[in-house]
Amino acid sequence: MADITRGGLGLLLAIGFAGMGSGAAMAQSSDMRLIREPAYGELRDVLGAVLPVATPSPRCARPAQLPDGACLEAVLAGMKARGATTGRVLTAPGAGGGAGTVISGPIGEAYRLYDVTLAGGGPRVVPVTLPSSSVRVPRDCFATGRGVDYRLDLRDGQLAAREVQAVSCGGPVPPIGYGGPRRPPIGPNEPGERWPATATVEVLGAPRQLAAPRPDCPPDAALRDGVCFAAGIAELAFRSELKELDVIGAKRPVAPGVVLTAKETEQYVLKRKGKGGFKADKRWFDKSSLAAPAGCGLTSPVDFEVEAGDRVHERALAGCGAPPAPPPVATYEAYGAVMPVVMGNRPGCAERGEQLLGDACFTDVIGWMRARKIPKAEALVLDGFYRPGERVYGGGPIRFSYASVWVNPDGTYKADRKHGYSAQIRSGGCSTVTDAGGEASGVTLIRADGGVMAQAYQWVACPVR
Protein backbone atom coordinates (compact mmCIF):
# COMPACT_ATOMS: atom_id res chain seq x y z
CA MET A 1 0.00 0.00 0.00
CA ALA A 2 1.38 3.43 -0.92
CA ASP A 3 2.45 5.75 1.89
CA ILE A 4 0.64 9.06 1.32
CA THR A 5 1.73 10.68 4.57
CA ARG A 6 5.13 11.47 3.10
CA GLY A 7 5.20 12.66 -0.49
CA GLY A 8 1.49 11.96 -0.65
CA LEU A 9 0.71 15.07 -2.69
CA GLY A 10 2.85 13.68 -5.49
CA LEU A 11 0.75 10.53 -5.56
CA LEU A 12 -2.44 12.58 -5.68
CA LEU A 13 -0.97 14.70 -8.48
CA ALA A 14 -0.17 11.60 -10.47
CA ILE A 15 -3.68 10.27 -9.95
CA GLY A 16 -5.12 13.61 -11.05
CA PHE A 17 -3.06 13.68 -14.23
CA ALA A 18 -3.75 10.05 -15.08
CA GLY A 19 -7.48 10.54 -14.65
CA MET A 20 -7.65 13.75 -16.72
CA GLY A 21 -5.57 12.69 -19.73
CA SER A 22 -2.68 14.37 -21.49
CA GLY A 23 -2.20 18.09 -20.95
CA ALA A 24 -4.32 18.11 -17.81
CA ALA A 25 -3.37 19.79 -14.55
CA MET A 26 -3.95 18.85 -10.95
CA ALA A 27 -7.50 19.25 -9.65
CA GLN A 28 -8.27 22.52 -7.87
CA SER A 29 -8.34 23.17 -4.16
CA SER A 30 -11.71 24.04 -2.70
CA ASP A 31 -10.22 26.48 -0.15
CA MET A 32 -10.70 30.21 -0.69
CA ARG A 33 -8.98 33.07 1.12
CA LEU A 34 -10.91 36.19 2.14
CA ILE A 35 -9.48 39.27 0.44
CA ARG A 36 -12.04 41.93 1.32
CA GLU A 37 -15.08 42.01 3.58
CA PRO A 38 -18.35 43.23 2.03
CA ALA A 39 -18.81 46.99 1.84
CA TYR A 40 -22.28 48.33 2.66
CA GLY A 41 -24.09 51.54 1.96
CA GLU A 42 -25.54 53.98 4.48
CA LEU A 43 -29.20 53.96 5.43
CA ARG A 44 -30.90 57.31 4.80
CA ASP A 45 -34.48 58.57 4.74
CA VAL A 46 -35.58 60.52 1.67
CA LEU A 47 -38.46 62.91 2.28
CA GLY A 48 -41.26 63.83 -0.08
CA ALA A 49 -44.46 65.87 0.13
CA VAL A 50 -46.58 66.53 3.23
CA LEU A 51 -50.19 65.41 2.74
CA PRO A 52 -53.20 66.34 4.86
CA VAL A 53 -54.86 63.39 6.60
CA ALA A 54 -58.62 62.92 6.63
CA THR A 55 -60.10 60.98 9.56
CA PRO A 56 -63.68 59.89 10.35
CA SER A 57 -66.00 62.41 12.01
CA PRO A 58 -69.55 61.71 13.25
CA ARG A 59 -70.71 65.21 12.23
CA CYS A 60 -69.25 65.26 8.72
CA ALA A 61 -71.37 66.98 6.07
CA ARG A 62 -72.32 64.50 3.35
CA PRO A 63 -70.50 66.27 0.44
CA ALA A 64 -67.26 66.10 2.46
CA GLN A 65 -67.47 62.42 3.39
CA LEU A 66 -65.24 59.98 1.56
CA PRO A 67 -66.35 56.44 0.63
CA ASP A 68 -64.16 54.96 3.39
CA GLY A 69 -65.86 57.13 6.04
CA ALA A 70 -63.14 59.77 6.43
CA CYS A 71 -64.21 63.40 6.50
CA LEU A 72 -62.71 66.07 4.24
CA GLU A 73 -64.03 69.13 6.10
CA ALA A 74 -60.74 70.02 7.82
CA VAL A 75 -58.78 69.29 4.62
CA LEU A 76 -61.07 71.50 2.51
CA ALA A 77 -60.83 74.30 5.03
CA GLY A 78 -57.05 74.11 4.92
CA MET A 79 -57.01 74.18 1.10
CA LYS A 80 -59.24 77.27 1.03
CA ALA A 81 -57.08 79.00 3.63
CA ARG A 82 -53.97 78.40 1.47
CA GLY A 83 -55.74 79.32 -1.74
CA ALA A 84 -55.14 75.83 -3.16
CA THR A 85 -57.58 74.42 -5.70
CA THR A 86 -56.06 70.94 -5.96
CA GLY A 87 -54.42 68.64 -3.47
CA ARG A 88 -53.89 65.07 -2.37
CA VAL A 89 -55.22 63.63 0.87
CA LEU A 90 -54.43 60.44 2.78
CA THR A 91 -56.76 58.27 4.83
CA ALA A 92 -55.66 55.24 6.84
CA PRO A 93 -57.16 52.90 9.45
CA GLY A 94 -54.02 53.46 11.53
CA ALA A 95 -54.31 57.24 11.51
CA GLY A 96 -56.10 57.04 14.85
CA GLY A 97 -52.66 56.52 16.40
CA GLY A 98 -51.97 60.21 15.84
CA ALA A 99 -48.62 61.97 15.55
CA GLY A 100 -45.61 59.63 15.41
CA THR A 101 -47.52 56.79 13.73
CA VAL A 102 -45.94 55.35 10.56
CA ILE A 103 -48.38 54.12 7.92
CA SER A 104 -46.84 51.30 5.89
CA GLY A 105 -48.31 48.68 3.59
CA PRO A 106 -50.17 48.26 0.30
CA ILE A 107 -52.37 51.01 -1.06
CA GLY A 108 -56.06 50.21 -0.64
CA GLU A 109 -55.35 48.29 2.59
CA ALA A 110 -52.94 50.19 4.83
CA TYR A 111 -53.94 53.55 3.38
CA ARG A 112 -55.83 55.29 0.58
CA LEU A 113 -55.01 58.38 -1.47
CA TYR A 114 -57.47 60.79 -3.05
CA ASP A 115 -56.89 63.70 -5.41
CA VAL A 116 -59.21 66.56 -4.43
CA THR A 117 -60.24 69.47 -6.63
CA LEU A 118 -62.22 72.47 -5.39
CA ALA A 119 -64.97 73.41 -7.85
CA GLY A 120 -68.02 75.64 -7.72
CA GLY A 121 -70.41 72.76 -7.12
CA GLY A 122 -68.36 71.23 -4.28
CA PRO A 123 -65.23 69.13 -3.98
CA ARG A 124 -64.40 66.66 -6.73
CA VAL A 125 -62.66 63.55 -5.39
CA VAL A 126 -60.77 60.98 -7.51
CA PRO A 127 -59.31 57.85 -5.83
CA VAL A 128 -55.65 57.11 -6.58
CA THR A 129 -55.44 53.42 -7.43
CA LEU A 130 -51.66 52.92 -7.76
CA PRO A 131 -48.88 53.80 -5.28
CA SER A 132 -47.68 57.29 -6.08
CA SER A 133 -45.45 59.84 -4.38
CA SER A 134 -43.22 62.87 -4.88
CA VAL A 135 -40.19 61.15 -3.28
CA ARG A 136 -37.17 61.43 -5.57
CA VAL A 137 -34.16 59.43 -4.43
CA PRO A 138 -30.60 60.75 -5.10
CA ARG A 139 -28.78 58.96 -7.92
CA ASP A 140 -26.14 57.42 -5.63
CA CYS A 141 -28.79 55.73 -3.47
CA PHE A 142 -30.75 52.51 -3.92
CA ALA A 143 -34.15 51.13 -2.94
CA THR A 144 -34.13 48.76 0.02
CA GLY A 145 -37.22 46.78 -0.93
CA ARG A 146 -39.62 49.12 0.88
CA GLY A 147 -41.84 51.58 -0.86
CA VAL A 148 -42.92 54.97 0.46
CA ASP A 149 -44.20 55.12 4.03
CA TYR A 150 -46.18 57.96 5.64
CA ARG A 151 -45.05 59.42 8.96
CA LEU A 152 -47.86 61.23 10.78
CA ASP A 153 -47.33 64.57 12.51
CA LEU A 154 -49.34 67.57 13.68
CA ARG A 155 -49.00 70.73 11.59
CA ASP A 156 -50.98 73.84 12.54
CA GLY A 157 -53.22 71.63 14.63
CA GLN A 158 -54.09 69.33 11.73
CA LEU A 159 -52.87 65.78 11.24
CA ALA A 160 -50.49 65.51 8.28
CA ALA A 161 -48.51 62.70 6.63
CA ARG A 162 -44.93 63.12 5.40
CA GLU A 163 -43.85 60.85 2.54
CA VAL A 164 -40.62 59.05 3.47
CA GLN A 165 -38.62 56.26 1.83
CA ALA A 166 -35.73 54.37 3.42
CA VAL A 167 -32.79 53.94 1.00
CA SER A 168 -29.21 52.72 1.04
CA CYS A 169 -26.71 55.26 -0.27
CA GLY A 170 -23.38 54.20 -1.73
CA GLY A 171 -23.82 50.45 -1.71
CA PRO A 172 -25.77 47.37 -0.59
CA VAL A 173 -28.28 47.52 2.25
CA PRO A 174 -26.44 47.15 5.58
CA PRO A 175 -27.59 44.25 7.76
CA ILE A 176 -29.55 44.89 10.93
CA GLY A 177 -27.27 46.23 13.62
CA TYR A 178 -24.49 47.13 11.18
CA GLY A 179 -22.86 50.55 11.53
CA GLY A 180 -23.85 53.59 13.53
CA PRO A 181 -26.96 55.79 13.65
CA ARG A 182 -28.56 57.13 10.50
CA ARG A 183 -27.56 60.49 9.15
CA PRO A 184 -30.20 63.24 8.84
CA PRO A 185 -32.91 62.65 6.21
CA ILE A 186 -32.51 63.93 2.66
CA GLY A 187 -35.00 66.72 2.01
CA PRO A 188 -36.86 67.20 -1.28
CA ASN A 189 -35.08 70.49 -2.07
CA GLU A 190 -31.47 69.40 -1.54
CA PRO A 191 -29.32 69.77 -4.70
CA GLY A 192 -28.13 66.83 -6.78
CA GLU A 193 -29.32 64.46 -9.48
CA ARG A 194 -32.35 62.35 -8.58
CA TRP A 195 -34.17 59.28 -9.85
CA PRO A 196 -37.77 59.76 -11.03
CA ALA A 197 -40.39 59.91 -8.30
CA THR A 198 -41.08 56.60 -6.55
CA ALA A 199 -44.38 55.37 -7.94
CA THR A 200 -46.18 52.65 -9.84
CA VAL A 201 -47.60 53.71 -13.21
CA GLU A 202 -49.65 52.02 -15.89
CA VAL A 203 -47.89 51.72 -19.24
CA LEU A 204 -50.04 51.49 -22.37
CA GLY A 205 -48.98 50.40 -25.81
CA ALA A 206 -50.13 51.80 -29.14
CA PRO A 207 -53.44 50.41 -30.49
CA ARG A 208 -53.01 47.26 -32.58
CA GLN A 209 -55.27 45.30 -34.87
CA LEU A 210 -57.37 42.52 -33.31
CA ALA A 211 -58.40 39.17 -34.75
CA ALA A 212 -60.82 37.00 -32.77
CA PRO A 213 -63.24 34.08 -33.26
CA ARG A 214 -66.45 35.24 -34.93
CA PRO A 215 -69.42 33.09 -36.01
CA ASP A 216 -70.15 35.46 -38.95
CA CYS A 217 -66.58 35.57 -40.29
CA PRO A 218 -66.38 35.59 -44.13
CA PRO A 219 -64.73 32.36 -45.34
CA ASP A 220 -61.88 34.21 -47.06
CA ALA A 221 -61.05 36.04 -43.77
CA ALA A 222 -60.79 32.89 -41.61
CA LEU A 223 -57.14 32.49 -42.49
CA ARG A 224 -55.98 30.25 -39.62
CA ASP A 225 -56.44 29.09 -36.02
CA GLY A 226 -60.19 29.75 -36.01
CA VAL A 227 -59.86 33.53 -35.74
CA CYS A 228 -61.27 36.13 -38.11
CA PHE A 229 -58.91 38.57 -39.83
CA ALA A 230 -61.68 40.54 -41.58
CA ALA A 231 -60.88 43.87 -39.88
CA GLY A 232 -57.18 43.53 -40.63
CA ILE A 233 -57.83 42.62 -44.25
CA ALA A 234 -60.05 45.70 -44.60
CA GLU A 235 -57.26 47.83 -43.12
CA LEU A 236 -54.66 46.48 -45.57
CA ALA A 237 -57.06 46.86 -48.51
CA PHE A 238 -57.75 50.49 -47.57
CA ARG A 239 -54.12 51.43 -46.92
CA SER A 240 -52.15 50.41 -49.96
CA GLU A 241 -48.92 51.89 -48.52
CA LEU A 242 -48.79 49.20 -45.83
CA LYS A 243 -46.77 46.10 -46.74
CA GLU A 244 -47.98 44.17 -43.69
CA LEU A 245 -50.05 44.59 -40.56
CA ASP A 246 -49.33 43.65 -36.95
CA VAL A 247 -52.27 41.63 -35.54
CA ILE A 248 -53.04 40.32 -32.06
CA GLY A 249 -55.18 37.19 -32.19
CA ALA A 250 -57.56 36.34 -29.34
CA LYS A 251 -58.05 32.65 -28.57
CA ARG A 252 -61.62 33.25 -27.34
CA PRO A 253 -64.53 35.53 -28.31
CA VAL A 254 -64.14 39.04 -26.92
CA ALA A 255 -65.93 42.35 -26.50
CA PRO A 256 -64.70 45.88 -25.76
CA GLY A 257 -63.37 46.09 -22.22
CA VAL A 258 -62.28 42.44 -22.03
CA VAL A 259 -58.71 41.94 -20.81
CA LEU A 260 -56.68 39.06 -22.28
CA THR A 261 -53.58 37.57 -20.71
CA ALA A 262 -50.57 36.85 -22.90
CA LYS A 263 -51.47 33.12 -22.88
CA GLU A 264 -54.88 33.98 -24.35
CA THR A 265 -53.37 35.67 -27.39
CA GLU A 266 -51.32 34.84 -30.46
CA GLN A 267 -49.29 37.30 -32.53
CA TYR A 268 -49.56 37.40 -36.32
CA VAL A 269 -48.24 39.33 -39.30
CA LEU A 270 -50.97 39.84 -41.92
CA LYS A 271 -49.59 40.09 -45.49
CA ARG A 272 -50.78 40.30 -49.08
CA LYS A 273 -50.26 37.21 -51.25
CA GLY A 274 -48.57 37.50 -54.62
CA LYS A 275 -51.63 36.56 -56.70
CA GLY A 276 -54.16 38.38 -54.59
CA GLY A 277 -55.68 37.46 -51.26
CA PHE A 278 -54.04 37.54 -47.83
CA LYS A 279 -52.15 35.29 -45.44
CA ALA A 280 -51.38 35.41 -41.73
CA ASP A 281 -48.02 34.21 -40.41
CA LYS A 282 -47.35 33.59 -36.73
CA ARG A 283 -44.57 35.65 -35.20
CA TRP A 284 -41.58 33.64 -34.03
CA PHE A 285 -40.99 36.16 -31.24
CA ASP A 286 -43.61 38.35 -29.59
CA LYS A 287 -43.54 42.01 -30.57
CA SER A 288 -44.31 44.69 -28.02
CA SER A 289 -45.23 48.34 -28.33
CA LEU A 290 -44.76 49.02 -24.61
CA ALA A 291 -42.12 51.52 -23.55
CA ALA A 292 -41.76 52.29 -19.85
CA PRO A 293 -40.85 55.89 -18.96
CA ALA A 294 -37.20 56.69 -18.27
CA GLY A 295 -36.22 55.46 -14.83
CA CYS A 296 -39.04 52.90 -14.75
CA GLY A 297 -39.21 49.18 -15.43
CA LEU A 298 -42.07 46.78 -16.02
CA THR A 299 -43.15 45.00 -12.84
CA SER A 300 -46.19 43.01 -14.01
CA PRO A 301 -47.04 40.59 -16.82
CA VAL A 302 -48.27 42.18 -20.03
CA ASP A 303 -51.96 41.83 -20.87
CA PHE A 304 -54.18 43.14 -23.68
CA GLU A 305 -57.32 45.27 -23.31
CA VAL A 306 -59.85 45.06 -26.12
CA GLU A 307 -61.12 48.36 -27.55
CA ALA A 308 -64.01 49.16 -29.83
CA GLY A 309 -63.40 48.87 -33.56
CA ASP A 310 -61.46 45.57 -33.46
CA ARG A 311 -58.47 47.15 -31.76
CA VAL A 312 -56.43 46.12 -28.76
CA HIS A 313 -53.62 47.67 -26.73
CA GLU A 314 -50.99 46.21 -24.43
CA ARG A 315 -50.80 47.33 -20.85
CA ALA A 316 -48.60 46.59 -17.84
CA LEU A 317 -47.46 48.18 -14.60
CA ALA A 318 -44.06 49.82 -14.24
CA GLY A 319 -42.19 50.69 -11.09
CA CYS A 320 -40.43 54.06 -11.10
CA GLY A 321 -37.73 55.41 -8.83
CA ALA A 322 -34.42 54.21 -7.47
CA PRO A 323 -33.24 50.75 -8.62
CA PRO A 324 -32.88 47.93 -6.09
CA ALA A 325 -29.69 47.97 -4.04
CA PRO A 326 -27.01 45.58 -5.29
CA PRO A 327 -26.47 42.42 -3.23
CA PRO A 328 -23.55 42.55 -0.78
CA VAL A 329 -20.48 40.58 -1.86
CA ALA A 330 -17.22 39.61 -0.22
CA THR A 331 -14.05 39.23 -2.27
CA TYR A 332 -12.22 35.90 -2.02
CA GLU A 333 -9.21 34.38 -3.70
CA ALA A 334 -10.22 31.08 -5.29
CA TYR A 335 -7.65 28.48 -6.30
CA GLY A 336 -7.46 26.07 -9.20
CA ALA A 337 -5.06 23.77 -11.01
CA VAL A 338 -1.43 23.18 -9.98
CA MET A 339 1.38 22.89 -12.54
CA PRO A 340 5.16 22.39 -12.49
CA VAL A 341 7.49 25.37 -12.82
CA VAL A 342 10.55 26.07 -14.98
CA MET A 343 12.87 28.60 -13.31
CA GLY A 344 15.68 30.02 -15.44
CA ASN A 345 18.61 28.06 -16.84
CA ARG A 346 21.38 26.03 -15.22
CA PRO A 347 24.73 24.47 -16.26
CA GLY A 348 24.64 21.19 -18.15
CA CYS A 349 20.98 21.48 -19.09
CA ALA A 350 21.64 21.81 -22.82
CA GLU A 351 23.98 18.81 -22.85
CA ARG A 352 21.22 16.65 -21.38
CA GLY A 353 18.78 17.78 -24.07
CA GLU A 354 16.56 19.41 -21.47
CA GLN A 355 17.09 23.05 -22.42
CA LEU A 356 13.95 23.89 -24.39
CA LEU A 357 12.39 27.08 -25.75
CA GLY A 358 15.78 28.70 -26.17
CA ASP A 359 17.27 29.19 -22.72
CA ALA A 360 14.86 27.56 -20.28
CA CYS A 361 15.92 24.45 -18.37
CA PHE A 362 13.11 21.88 -18.15
CA THR A 363 15.08 19.36 -16.06
CA ASP A 364 12.75 19.53 -13.04
CA VAL A 365 9.59 19.34 -15.17
CA ILE A 366 10.93 16.43 -17.21
CA GLY A 367 11.96 14.57 -14.07
CA TRP A 368 8.55 15.21 -12.56
CA MET A 369 6.82 13.88 -15.70
CA ARG A 370 9.06 10.80 -15.93
CA ALA A 371 8.48 9.87 -12.30
CA ARG A 372 4.73 9.95 -12.82
CA LYS A 373 4.65 8.61 -16.39
CA ILE A 374 2.85 11.76 -17.62
CA PRO A 375 3.13 12.03 -21.42
CA LYS A 376 2.05 15.68 -21.67
CA ALA A 377 1.76 18.53 -19.22
CA GLU A 378 1.47 22.30 -18.90
CA ALA A 379 4.21 24.30 -17.19
CA LEU A 380 4.90 27.83 -16.01
CA VAL A 381 8.17 29.23 -17.41
CA LEU A 382 9.92 31.96 -15.37
CA ASP A 383 12.94 34.08 -16.23
CA GLY A 384 14.81 33.22 -13.02
CA PHE A 385 14.64 31.58 -9.61
CA TYR A 386 11.83 32.61 -7.24
CA ARG A 387 10.69 31.45 -3.82
CA PRO A 388 7.28 30.10 -2.81
CA GLY A 389 4.86 32.92 -2.06
CA GLU A 390 5.72 34.92 -5.19
CA ARG A 391 2.80 35.90 -7.41
CA VAL A 392 2.93 35.81 -11.18
CA TYR A 393 0.37 37.85 -13.10
CA GLY A 394 -0.01 40.05 -16.13
CA GLY A 395 1.68 43.42 -15.63
CA GLY A 396 3.58 42.17 -12.57
CA PRO A 397 7.34 42.34 -11.99
CA ILE A 398 8.09 38.71 -12.97
CA ARG A 399 8.53 37.81 -16.64
CA PHE A 400 6.77 34.57 -17.49
CA SER A 401 5.15 32.43 -20.14
CA TYR A 402 3.39 29.12 -20.34
CA ALA A 403 4.44 25.99 -22.18
CA SER A 404 3.04 22.67 -23.30
CA VAL A 405 5.56 19.89 -22.70
CA TRP A 406 5.41 16.36 -24.12
CA VAL A 407 7.58 13.28 -24.63
CA ASN A 408 8.44 12.11 -28.16
CA PRO A 409 8.36 8.43 -29.18
CA ASP A 410 12.17 8.33 -28.95
CA GLY A 411 12.08 9.47 -25.30
CA THR A 412 13.18 13.04 -25.92
CA TYR A 413 11.09 16.01 -24.76
CA LYS A 414 9.74 18.98 -26.66
CA ALA A 415 7.93 22.18 -25.60
CA ASP A 416 5.86 24.89 -27.29
CA ARG A 417 4.88 28.31 -25.98
CA LYS A 418 1.24 28.81 -24.99
CA HIS A 419 -0.82 31.96 -24.39
CA GLY A 420 -2.32 30.52 -21.22
CA TYR A 421 -3.25 27.31 -19.47
CA SER A 422 -6.30 25.58 -18.02
CA ALA A 423 -6.74 27.24 -14.64
CA GLN A 424 -9.74 25.05 -13.69
CA ILE A 425 -10.96 27.54 -11.10
CA ARG A 426 -14.51 26.89 -9.96
CA SER A 427 -16.26 29.03 -7.37
CA GLY A 428 -19.95 28.21 -7.57
CA GLY A 429 -22.25 31.18 -7.07
CA CYS A 430 -19.41 33.72 -7.27
CA SER A 431 -18.47 36.06 -10.12
CA THR A 432 -15.04 36.94 -11.43
CA VAL A 433 -13.63 40.27 -10.22
CA THR A 434 -12.62 42.21 -13.33
CA ASP A 435 -11.91 45.69 -11.97
CA ALA A 436 -9.05 44.99 -9.53
CA GLY A 437 -6.09 45.12 -11.94
CA GLY A 438 -3.76 42.38 -13.13
CA GLU A 439 -3.06 41.07 -9.64
CA ALA A 440 -6.62 39.77 -9.40
CA SER A 441 -5.75 36.66 -11.44
CA GLY A 442 -2.63 34.64 -12.10
CA VAL A 443 -0.62 31.94 -10.35
CA THR A 444 1.08 31.82 -7.00
CA LEU A 445 4.21 29.78 -6.28
CA ILE A 446 3.69 27.15 -3.60
CA ARG A 447 5.81 24.36 -2.11
CA ALA A 448 4.20 21.06 -3.05
CA ASP A 449 5.06 17.63 -4.39
CA GLY A 450 8.69 17.90 -3.29
CA GLY A 451 9.38 21.18 -5.08
CA VAL A 452 8.00 24.52 -6.18
CA MET A 453 4.71 24.38 -8.08
CA ALA A 454 2.42 27.05 -9.49
CA GLN A 455 -1.24 27.19 -8.47
CA ALA A 456 -3.83 29.21 -10.38
CA TYR A 457 -5.80 31.81 -8.45
CA GLN A 458 -8.59 34.26 -9.22
CA TRP A 459 -10.33 36.92 -7.15
CA VAL A 460 -14.06 36.33 -7.06
CA ALA A 461 -17.01 38.23 -5.60
CA CYS A 462 -19.30 35.95 -3.56
CA PRO A 463 -22.78 36.90 -2.38
CA VAL A 464 -23.16 37.30 1.37
CA ARG A 465 -26.04 35.21 2.67
Side-chain angles (χ1 to χ4, degrees), residues 366-434:
I366 291 171
W368 184 83
M369 293 174 66
R370 281 174 176 159
R372 291 153 186 81
K373 296 182 174 56
I374 297 171
K376 187 174 183 180
E378 297 170 312
L380 172 69
V381 182
L382 303 179
D383 63 346
F385 291 85
Y386 297 93
R387 295 178 179 276
E390 294 282 2
R391 290 179 169 250
V392 181
Y393 54 90
I398 298 177
R399 292 179 58 191
F400 69 96
S401 63
Y402 297 105
S404 180
V405 189
W406 67 93
V407 60
N408 292 317
D410 61 2
T412 60
Y413 283 79
K414 187 173 178 60
D416 274 346
R417 300 279 185 188
K418 294 184 66 177
H419 293 296
Y421 78 106
S422 53
Q424 299 179 36
I425 296 173
R426 295 183 298 276
S427 55
C430 303
S431 59
T432 299
V433 174
T434 58

Side-chain angles (χ1 to χ4, degrees), residues 301-359:
V302 174
D303 56 32
F304 299 82
E305 184 174 15
V306 178
E307 302 175 348
D310 293 310
R311 308 287 277 181
V312 68
H313 66 258
E314 291 171 280
R315 60 179 204 172
L317 297 180
C320 306
V329 294
T331 303
Y332 288 87
E333 187 170 272
Y335 301 102
V338 176
M339 68 170 68
V341 182
V342 175
M343 286 197 275
N345 206 342
R346 64 183 70 174
C349 190
E351 289 75 11
R352 294 191 300 272
E354 295 172 348
Q355 182 174 311
L356 310 177
L357 301 179
D359 59 353

Side-chain angles (χ1 to χ4, degrees), residues 33-49:
R33 181 170 67 92
L34 180 65
I35 298 295
R36 188 168 53 247
E37 294 278 2
Y40 295 99
E42 183 179 56
L43 284 179
R44 302 285 301 272
D45 283 340
V46 183
L47 304 180

